[in-house]
Amino acid sequence: MKRYDHYLLYMDEEKKNFIDENEDSLVKPFSEYFFYLPIECLDKKIKIESKFVAVKTYKTTILIEVEEKELKIKVHFTDDDITNIVNSIHDNYNTEFYEYLKHEIKKLLNNTSDSKISFTVGDTEFNVYGIAFNERFNDLVIENPAGIKLFANEFIFIYDLILEKERIDKDKNKPIKFIQKTFKNLS
């Protein structure tokens, strides 16, 4: 089995392989084709009720799939949505969770974090540095612009996946810019 250093590189190759194997039956050009792979968090001690999906077109997007009132809803949170969620956590209702996030982010920025999250994309496992999950936040539901039920550890998972996406960018400062955008007051 081939080893991948990053889940985005894996998505690129999996999409290319799928296109190559099915090009006779595909209508759209390669760059316009949507390619989906499931993402699964491997930490079974935390509460994850939503399904996560990586969608590859030209770029990769993370979708959350939830069932609300017998409907399957797929939600994409933009960077601005993530910033607004963090601000809402800070301003409205959960100082303990916000302080926890801030503490974990500072450890990541100072390269003192040893927190790795493990997940699969498709059938391939990845381990990346990120905000550590915490069982004490398992039942905390986070307010969000989509109005879906989003547990605190699910939010951490989304944040970590996006942060990892930023790490592979050509602009090596992009992860720091993302953190600074979402956590304006890190002092």
Side-chain angles (χ1 to χ4, degrees):
M1 177 184 279
K2 188 171 180 180
R3 181 161 164 20
Y4 297 89
D5 293 327
H6 199 281
Y7 77 95
L8 294 180
L9 299 175
Y10 172 71
M11 288 289 297
D12 290 344
E13 184 152 326
E14 287 296 297
K15 180 180 177 182
K16 182 187 176 314
N17 291 342
F18 181 83
I19 298 283
D20 289 349
E21 292 168 9
N22 297 286
E23 70 183 315
D24 293 339
S25 62
L26 299 176
V27 179
K28 293 183 175 193
F30 175 81
S31 62
E32 294 177 21
Y33 186 75
F34 284 62
F35 181 74
Y36 298 83
L37 283 176
I39 303 173
E40 183 179 341
C41 178
L42 297 178
D43 187 336
K44 300 304 178 196
K45 293 180 278 186
I46 60 155
K47 187 178 233 171
I48 301 273
E49 288 186 357
S50 300
K51 293 179 182 174
F52 294 83
V53 180
V55 182
K56 176 74 181 175
T57 53
Y58 174 69
K59 292 184 173 185
T60 300
T61 301
I62 306 301
L63 297 179
I64 306 156
E65 185 178 296
V66 295
E67 289 192 31
E68 297 269 337
K69 300 177 186 159
E70 299 180 23
L71 294 173
K72 281 190 179 181
I73 302 168
K74 288 184 178 143
V75 176
H76 165 69
F77 289 124
T78 65
D79 288 0
D80 287 339
D81 292 331
I82 297 295
T83 299
N84 290 335
I85 292 169
V86 170
N87 289 336
S88 175
I89 292 166
H90 175 262
D91 296 342
N92 296 330
Y93 63 96
N94 201 300
T95 305
E96 180 187 9
F97 184 54
Y98 180 80
E99 291 301 319
Y100 174 78
L101 292 173
K102 195 166 91 169
H103 175 74
E104 289 292 311
I105 286 291
K106 284 180 181 178
K107 287 181 4 185
L108 286 171
L109 287 172
N110 296 329
N111 292 320
T112 58
S113 176
D114 60 355
S115 301
K116 282 201 164 190
I117 63 162
S118 297
F119 61 96
T120 58
V121 176
D123 61 2
T124 301
E125 185 175 335
F126 296 90
N127 298 290
V128 300
Y129 286 101
I131 298 171
F133 298 119
N134 193 310
E135 290 178 64
R136 77 176 183 256
F137 300 119
N138 266 347
D139 293 319
L140 177 64
V141 177
I142 301 300
E143 189 175 304
N144 61 82
I148 63 170
K149 187 184 225 178
L150 180 68
F151 289 102
N153 283 311
E154 290 176 326
F155 176 73
I156 289 172
F157 191 41
I158 295 164
Y159 195 93
D160 286 344
L161 290 170
I162 294 170
L163 186 58
E164 185 60 21
K165 269 181 42 175
E166 303 298 350
R167 283 190 185 114
I168 199 170
D169 198 272
K170 290 176 184 137
D171 177 359
K172 296 303 173 198
N173 291 318
K174 198 153 183 196
I176 293 168
K177 290 176 186 174
F178 175 70
I179 289 170
Q180 289 171 338
K181 179 179 180 178
T182 55
F183 286 88
K184 294 189 180 6
N185 300 319
L186 276 176
S187 54

